[in-house]
Amino acid sequence: MPARNRLARTTAALGTAAALSVTAPAAHADAPVTRQLTGTLADGATWIADVPADWNGTLLLFSHGFGPTVAKDAPSDAARSRLIAEGYALAGSSYDPKGSMWALESAERDQFATLAAVKAEIGKPRLTLSVGQSMGGLVNARIARDGAGRVDGALGLCGLVAGGTDLDNYQLDAEYTIARLLLPAEDLKLVNFTSAAEASATADRLTAAVTAAQASPRGRARVALAAAFLNLPAWAPGEDRPAADDWAGQEEQQYAWLAQGLLSFVEGGRYAVEQSVRGNNSWNRGIDYAGLLARSVHAPQVRALYRTAGLDLYTDLRTLTHDADIAADPAAVRNAQRTSSAGQGLGVPLLDVHTTADNLVPVEQENRFADRVRASGDAELLRQAYVEHQGHCTFTTAETLAALHAVEHRVTTGRWDHAAAPAALQKAALGLGLDGAAYTAYRPAELTGGR
């Protein structure tokens, strides 16, 4: 199978109560879609829109996640059906299809152009809300920063809000740890991929090393160290959450994520980012890996597993620090800052929702993003909420709709009140009578590996 197809298949597989509650708009389950609109933008991006016959006056501009540059206007088929039944108009673009799947060079521009094109067809909405998922959550955060006067509010779902450079740096720390400690005799290429095949070859080698390491206590300790740098949750799908001091059980569930092909997604994503920013935007030269681990929520687990294995953790950390010599391309870092970062202020209210055990976009990204928004002085515009699910973007339709209604409350009243509080979101989601909800009070740990 060609490497690009293998990466695409992996992407698809992996990508896969309070005093106040927000009252949901009345649903009309049999409302027909009177118009399905399409168009093409100046850069070749396509856009689509669904407009129900009984449009409620709110237009949702949806930013899709990492993957093929195909226009989408909703986070899932189930969400689309429910949103249309409630009277929302939906729109979204493909982003520029001629470049990388990390289409951040064009995504925000194409979304604003889509908004203008759809408004020309259907007229001015009463409200315009931006919604983004995964990589599209980063696009959405940028729209929330830059879109005042064009959008009224924003909802982020499992968003990659720490940005492309933080992403590539903490992933590099994990990849480097695997390569240096589990494949010490090999000079494995970790950055500056020239093809999807190179990225796939690295992913295959790293995955094989992790699989072999899992057979011994020493190997499992080192897998846990790499997982800590990757901010990898210790709670896998289909499993009960391990106890807080079940160090071996936590590592076993982190390994389950890795064994499912996570590193193929990571390396394919790196190749796409490097294509987009035109070089390597990550580095580890000068990084103190002992200090890095000390700030990780997984540090107690790693220390315990190293003791069990009879390994000297600090010898491994000194080796990692001493041998770290990967330097970034300054131009690529500048390009990533320009196209693939967010949090430098907000122009409209934004509610970000994240699962508590996200294997692809760690929930700790929300902590990093909130710090940036707070530093900008716009913390009052931001709210963050969490659902207790394993996996990336594994929201129920009810959870998504309740969050959207909370954003509408903020936009129409000028106040958050308690609309984005976990108990209010849970009550509102359950009140929809759909597919359940698991909103919970939660505070993410610090993101490990941000520079």
Side-chain angles (χ1 to χ4, degrees):
M1 178 186 296
R4 182 175 177 86
N5 290 343
R6 185 162 67 250
L7 287 170
R9 288 184 58 183
T10 302
T11 298
L14 288 167
T16 334
L20 178 142
S21 64
V22 179
T23 301
H28 307 285
D30 59 350
V33 175
T34 55
R35 283 191 285 178
Q36 294 180 315
L37 308 173
T38 63
T40 302
L41 302 175
D43 62 5
T46 57
W47 60 265
I48 60 173
D50 289 318
V51 186
D54 54 351
W55 180 32
N56 65 15
T58 298
L59 173 62
L60 304 182
L61 178 67
F62 178 70
S63 299
H64 70 75
F66 180 76
T69 47
V70 175
K72 298 180 181 179
D73 63 6
S76 68
D77 289 342
R80 176 187 293 105
S81 296
R82 178 69 186 196
L83 289 165
I84 289 172
E86 290 195 1
Y88 294 98
L90 316 176
S93 75
S94 64
Y95 320 142
D96 184 352
K98 299 186 294 297
S100 162
M101 287 194 296
W102 183 265
L104 271 292
E105 181 74 45
S106 69
E108 184 180 8
R109 178 189 71 230
D110 288 336
Q111 288 295 84
F112 284 137
T114 294
L115 194 57
V118 173
K119 286 181 178 180
E121 292 282 346
I122 69 174
K124 184 178 180 180
R126 176 181 59 87
L127 290 178
T128 301
L129 303 178
S130 175
V131 181
Q133 179 172 276
S134 192
M135 183 191 79
L138 175 56
V139 179
N140 179 70
R142 292 171 62 83
I143 290 172
R145 181 192 68 194
D146 303 332
R150 289 180 281 193
V151 300
D152 300 295
L155 170 63
L157 302 170
C158 53
L160 209 160
V161 288
T165 294
D166 275 347
L167 170 74
D168 274 359
N169 272 321
Y170 68 70
Q171 290 180 343
L172 175 62
D173 292 330
E175 298 154 24
Y176 168 66
T177 297
I178 296 168
R180 183 66 189 86
L181 299 182
L182 301 182
L183 301 169
E186 297 186 23
D187 184 19
L188 192 65
K189 188 167 190 174
L190 298 178
V191 298
N192 288 313
F193 294 127
T194 60
S195 67
E198 277 193 348
S200 288
T202 291
D204 289 347
R205 194 69 195 98
L206 292 173
T207 301
V210 167
T211 301
Q214 191 65 14
S216 72
R218 294 165 66 92
R220 290 192 292 273
R222 286 168 167 156
V223 170
L225 178 60
F229 292 144
L230 193 56
N231 299 275
L232 192 60
W235 185 27
E239 302 291 342
D240 293 331
R241 187 195 298 272
D245 59 352
D246 181 5
W247 312 123
Q250 291 173 19
E251 188 278 336
E252 185 176 352
Q253 294 199 30
Q254 289 171 319
Y255 170 73
W257 289 119
L258 294 165
Q260 290 171 12
L262 176 58
L263 292 168
S264 290
F265 187 90
V266 167
E267 300 305 335
R270 176 176 295 280
Y271 172 61
V273 174
E274 289 183 346
Q275 281 184 300
S276 178
V277 303
R278 297 183 289 282
N280 169 39
N281 63 312
S282 62
W283 66 95
N284 68 358
R285 182 177 293 171
I287 295 301
D288 173 10
Y289 280 91
L292 204 63
L293 178 63
R295 295 189 292 275
S296 170
V297 69
H298 298 298
Q301 172 209 15
V302 173
R303 295 187 188 110
L305 291 176
Y306 264 78
R307 286 194 299 270
T308 298
L311 273 176
D312 185 343
L313 172 60
Y314 292 98
T315 295
D316 275 0
L317 293 171
R318 283 193 296 271
T319 296
L320 293 175
T321 299
H322 179 269
D323 294 347
D325 63 356
I326 296 173
D329 177 348
V333 174
R334 290 193 296 272
N335 287 337
Q337 176 65 18
R338 177 177 57 84
T339 68
S340 307
S341 66
Q344 304 88 358
L346 291 174
V348 299
L350 168 65
L351 171 59
D352 264 353
V353 184
H354 221 111
T355 58
T356 58
D358 189 329
N359 57 318
L360 297 185
V361 179
V363 66
E364 290 85 357
Q365 289 223 3
E366 296 290 347
N367 191 314
R368 184 79 160 173
F369 179 67
D371 285 346
R372 290 177 181 155
V373 173
R374 190 177 303 113
S376 77
D378 289 331
E380 182 50 38
L381 289 171
L382 177 66
R383 292 293 185 272
Q384 293 163 300
Y386 304 95
V387 294
E388 195 168 9
H389 295 313
Q390 308 107 304
H392 182 52
C393 303
T394 53
F395 304 111
T396 67
T397 299
E399 289 162 350
T400 300
L401 268 291
L404 178 66
H405 298 155
V407 174
E408 286 183 293
H409 173 87
R410 172 60 177 83
V411 170
T412 56
T413 67
R415 305 181 308 275
W416 284 110
D417 298 317
H418 297 292
L425 288 166
Q426 181 72 357
K427 182 177 180 180
L430 293 177
L432 294 170
L434 297 174
D435 48 356
Y439 277 102
T440 187
Y442 182 80
R443 184 173 180 176
E446 180 182 350
L447 181 71
T448 300
R451 304 292 193 245

